[in-house]
């Protein structure tokens, strides 16, 4: 989505519990809709989400979110912060956030390693949104 921001894919894994996944995904959708700098919607149930998966067809739901701010980093920080706060409401909540082929899993009870992975993910996607240098060093 090039009209001002980046497009993210958000998937709430629930271990095959499709009713819970739909409920949680709709709750996350409602939470993200309240942010001024985001546009949020539901992915079409077409195509695969990962190699070897059936796709987001029967019972699986995924969201897309786009930042509306011209500066990608602050909007991405808002998105990640909102997802972290949403996940923190229940320790078993998870959201897989993907942008430009890069992804990270955010959970309700992150440990120090996961917090570091989320920060590194934010740094990578903020760098990609700018000039797109080869980011091989971590």
């Amino acid at each position: 989505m090039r009209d001002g921001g980046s497009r993210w894919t958000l998937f709430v894994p629930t271990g095959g519990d499709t009713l819970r996944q739909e409920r949680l995904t709709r709750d996350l959708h409602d939470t993200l809709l309240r942010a001024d700098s985001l546009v949020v919607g539901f992915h079409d149930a077409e195509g695969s989400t990962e190699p070897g998966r059936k796709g987001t067809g029967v019972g699986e739901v995924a969201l897309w979110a786009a930042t509306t701010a011209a500066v990608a980093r602050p909007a991405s920080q808002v998105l990640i912060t909102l997802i972290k706060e949403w996940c923190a409401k229940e320790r078993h909540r998870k959201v897989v956030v993907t942008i430009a082929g890069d992804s990270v899993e955010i959970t309700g009870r992150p440990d120090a390693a996961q917090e570091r992975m989320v920060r590194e993910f934010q740094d990578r996607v903020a760098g990609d949104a700018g000039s797109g240098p080869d980011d091989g060093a971590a």
Side-chain angles (χ1 to χ4, degrees):
M1 190 162 193
R2 250 358 217 166
D3 50 21
S6 304
R7 189 165 176 149
W8 304 69
T9 300
L10 311 173
F11 180 71
V12 181
T14 58
D17 186 343
T18 56
L19 293 175
R20 183 171 184 262
Q21 181 191 35
E22 183 174 346
R23 180 181 56 83
L24 289 173
T25 302
R26 290 186 186 284
D27 186 52
L28 177 60
H29 176 267
D30 293 345
T31 298
L32 296 177
L33 272 179
R34 294 183 203 125
D36 291 335
S37 60
L38 299 175
V39 178
V40 184
F42 291 93
H43 268 294
D44 293 333
E46 299 174 3
S48 293
T49 56
E50 298 175 12
R53 284 185 59 111
K54 291 188 243 177
T56 58
V58 181
E60 288 194 351
V61 185
L63 296 174
W64 60 265
T67 57
T68 58
V71 181
R73 186 168 182 101
S76 68
Q77 287 175 337
V78 168
L79 177 64
I80 297 297
T81 299
L82 288 171
I83 292 170
K84 287 165 105 178
E85 289 172 356
W86 181 83
C87 286
K89 291 178 183 178
E90 285 182 34
R91 63 189 270 182
H92 298 293
R93 286 185 180 183
K94 294 179 188 176
V95 176
V96 177
V97 180
T98 305
I99 184 170
D102 197 356
S103 64
V104 69
E105 184 176 272
I106 299 172
T107 64
R109 291 276 172 117
D111 58 16
Q114 189 196 23
E115 287 288 348
R116 186 178 64 250
M117 288 178 8
V118 171
R119 281 192 305 274
E120 290 171 356
F121 172 78
Q122 285 183 285
D123 290 343
R124 286 193 308 270
V125 299
D128 290 346
S131 60
D134 184 48
D135 191 52

